Amino acid sequence: SRSSGRTSTPSPRLAIAFTRVPEGDSGRERTMRAVREALAGAYDTEIFYLRSIAETRRPRDFAGAVLLWLGSLLAFRPMALQCLLFASISQCDALVRTISAGGFDTVYVDMVRSAWFLGRLRRALPSVRVIADLDDLISRRMHQAARLGLPLSLGFAGRFLPPVLQGIVERAF
């Protein structure tokens, strides 16, 4: 309670779903830290990390991502690689269960690569409020690089590929 004798209203609970730890010095990581700090002033926040299929290395996650990608091709709506990398069935479902059990009022979802998770979250918890920061800078950069004939940059995914596979992918595109 506050010193005036009134009882304070508890802060609303906010789950923040990041796809990477915002402790580096890139522009996006600085933005993520600023968002986290700003929201922490108004909400009781808890941060969660959605790991990619390259990080989980679970056969079920990889197989699920392949099936999602094939389905997206058959529907003539190819899923972007950055979204596919974070379409981890085990990670998305576990995070949805955690958010559901945690009594969160709102969920902040960071990055367009979280799109598949966002769909799972919305189907499981249709009444939870969602803030979606789906900056698509990566896709714009890829489009620009392709238009200019520049080589493919594996970016985040490159860390998880063996050097031989990196070379093959970079030469193929």
Side-chain angles (χ1 to χ4, degrees):
S1 68
R2 294 182 180 153
S3 59
S4 65
R6 291 181 289 152
T7 59
S8 63
T9 305
S11 296
R13 292 195 28 87
L14 172 72
I16 299 175
F18 283 149
T19 56
R20 60 181 160 187
V21 178
E23 303 310 324
D25 200 32
S26 75
R28 186 66 199 162
E29 289 162 335
R30 286 191 302 271
T31 300
M32 291 167 65
R33 282 194 304 275
V35 165
R36 177 186 64 197
E37 290 163 12
L39 293 172
Y43 292 90
D44 173 14
T45 61
E46 192 167 341
I47 297 174
F48 300 95
Y49 297 101
L50 186 61
R51 293 174 32 209
S52 72
I53 61 171
E55 293 171 291
T56 67
R57 297 181 185 254
R58 292 185 176 124
R60 178 178 178 237
D61 290 340
F62 182 76
V66 168
L67 291 175
L68 281 171
W69 186 66
L70 291 173
S72 74
L73 291 177
L74 291 173
F76 299 104
R77 296 182 68 193
M79 188 178 225
L81 176 60
Q82 64 177 332
C83 295
L84 190 63
L85 284 171
F86 287 88
S88 163
I89 294 167
S90 67
Q91 285 287 292
C92 291
D93 288 352
L95 187 49
V96 166
R97 283 190 304 274
T98 299
I99 289 169
S100 179
F104 292 96
D105 303 293
T106 305
V107 179
Y108 175 93
V109 179
D110 182 62
M111 304 283 294
V112 72
R113 59 179 67 160
S114 303
W116 196 73
F117 164 71
L118 182 58
R120 304 280 281 195
L121 177 69
R122 183 50 67 212
R123 281 188 293 282
L125 303 171
S127 62
V128 72
R129 288 184 299 269
V130 174
I131 302 167
D133 180 0
L134 303 180
D135 179 17
D136 200 17
L137 181 60
I138 296 168
S139 293
R140 285 183 278 181
R141 264 191 260 150
M142 290 297 290
H143 173 73
Q144 191 74 357
R147 193 174 67 86
L148 295 172
L150 298 173
L152 174 70
S153 169
L154 293 173
F156 175 80
R159 289 190 275 179
F160 301 101
L161 297 176
V164 171
L165 188 54
Q166 287 180 24
I168 292 169
V169 170
E170 289 169 348
R171 280 191 297 279
F173 296 97

